[in-house]
Amino acid sequence: MSNGNVLILGAGIGGLATAIALSGAGYGTTVIEIQPSMHSSVYGVGIIQAPNQLRALDAIGCARQCVEQGYPAKFMNRVYDRDGNLVRTVPGPKIPGHDFPAMNGITRPRLHAILTEKARSAGVVIEYDKTITDIKQFDDRVEVGLTDGSTRTVDLLVGADGVRSVVRNHVYDVPPEPRYTGKSVLRINIPRLPEMDAIVRQEGRNANGDRVGVGMVPLAEDLGYLFVNIVHDRSVRPSTDELREMLKRELAGFGGPSGVVRDRYVDTGEEIVLRPEEWVLGPAPWHKGRVVLIGDAVHAVTPNTAQGAAQAVEDGIVLAECLSGGRPVEQALTAYTGRRYERCKLVVDYGYKARRWEFHPTPDFDPQEMGIRMRQSLVEPI
């Protein structure tokens, strides 16, 4: 017997994970996605799965497949200097009682396929090529208008629609706006280099003197991706050829793994993705009536945390747990924010402060040390 009907806007990682968790808790769950198919709804090239994300995925029965289809690493990072000399190896945090790898890299299409298959097997309905046009709240229900002309009446609406969330406008009288860090990320798929048995990191400065952070993430035995953090005017939209020249220019002067990628793989046919780094943190509570937010819709984090998807999956687990306690909806949703707010704020704060430090370094903030502390704190239960 269903505990109620839930509509989730957004078939991304957080939306699908939440759907699986809610279905397991006895809710009839439907996911609405604006993109026309699963494939077109996948953004980016790959994803870093820290142990806390794997723990959350394990709660909905998806962690094992992710590790089997990804690249489980024994270490979190291998740090090289600009010339390519190994400086240090950084172990990842360990979660007591679990044998998760320090980091698992996986392609986003593989992860979405795992989550989509699990959701459908759990009875979740996924509808593509439509989105929300109208939301009306009542004491006992939410009426949602869709672009296909239909109206859905549900017990709960979940906004899992990302940093540009439209559902956020129905939770806050004055919705918080995403903030740009001043940096964007270039990403490209590459063959996995021998050095890439963990996340490879290098740092240097470009011809303008700007700090350039480079990373390489293993995704499979033969596949990985490179990312480069750059200072960028987000109003400028480079062409494909311009992106390749930009990437080579930012990697100029690097030796070691970054130099190999620059010289061998930038001019291949692989697509280069450019994304701005944005962050947002909505004030508590993260709901209004029977409309609630999860993931980037309410706490978008910068990619230097490697925690965006992890925190969204954790949201879904906690939301399902809070709704399963037999409490009234208002109390359950208040409890959800109460369990999530400080944990997510910790991650958001670290991400944008580390980026701010890169523009204006101060001796009272060590981004590497603070990053280790942040990751270690996430070992604590959700």
Side-chain angles (χ1 to χ4, degrees), residues 97-113:
H98 295 276
D99 61 352
F100 299 129
M103 184 283 299
N104 186 60
I106 189 169
T107 68
R108 286 181 179 266
R110 286 179 179 175
L111 176 57
H112 272 69

Side-chain angles (χ1 to χ4, degrees), residues 321-328:
E321 289 179 357
C322 290
L323 287 167
S324 300
R327 291 172 287 191

Side-chain angles (χ1 to χ4, degrees), residues 15-16 37-38 54 141 166 174 178 243 256 261 286 294 326 337 371 376:
L16 291 171
S37 67
M38 182 190 74
L54 292 171
R141 67 191 189 281
V166 298
V174 182
L243 285 174
V261 173
W286 290 346
I294 71 157
T337 304
Q376 189 59 43

Side-chain angles (χ1 to χ4, degrees), residues 338-357:
R339 284 180 58 182
R340 295 299 297 151
Y341 185 83
E342 291 299 329
R343 187 178 178 94
C344 295
K345 183 178 186 298
L346 173 73
V347 179
V348 173
D349 284 353
Y350 165 75
Y352 82 80
K353 287 178 180 178
R355 282 292 182 253
R356 184 175 62 190
W357 181 90

Side-chain angles (χ1 to χ4, degrees), residues 27 139 155-156 284-292 318-340:
Y27 287 85
D139 289 342
D155 298 293
L156 184 71
W286 290 346
H287 76 281
K288 186 174 184 179
R290 292 174 174 266
V291 179
V292 64
V318 172
L319 179 61
E321 289 179 357
C322 290
L323 287 167
S324 300
R327 291 172 287 191
V329 171
E330 177 67 27
Q331 291 182 18
L333 298 182
T334 299
Y336 155 69
T337 304
R339 284 180 58 182
R340 295 299 297 151

Side-chain angles (χ1 to χ4, degrees), residues 159 161-163 165 168 171-172 176 279-287 292-301 315 336-337 341 344 348:
D161 51 335
V163 69
S165 172
R168 186 165 62 224
V171 171
Y172 296 107
W279 64 274
V280 68
L281 180 64
W286 290 346
H287 76 281
V292 64
L293 301 171
I294 71 157
D296 284 357
V298 71
H299 54 75
V301 302
D315 283 350
Y336 155 69
T337 304
Y341 185 83
C344 295
V348 173

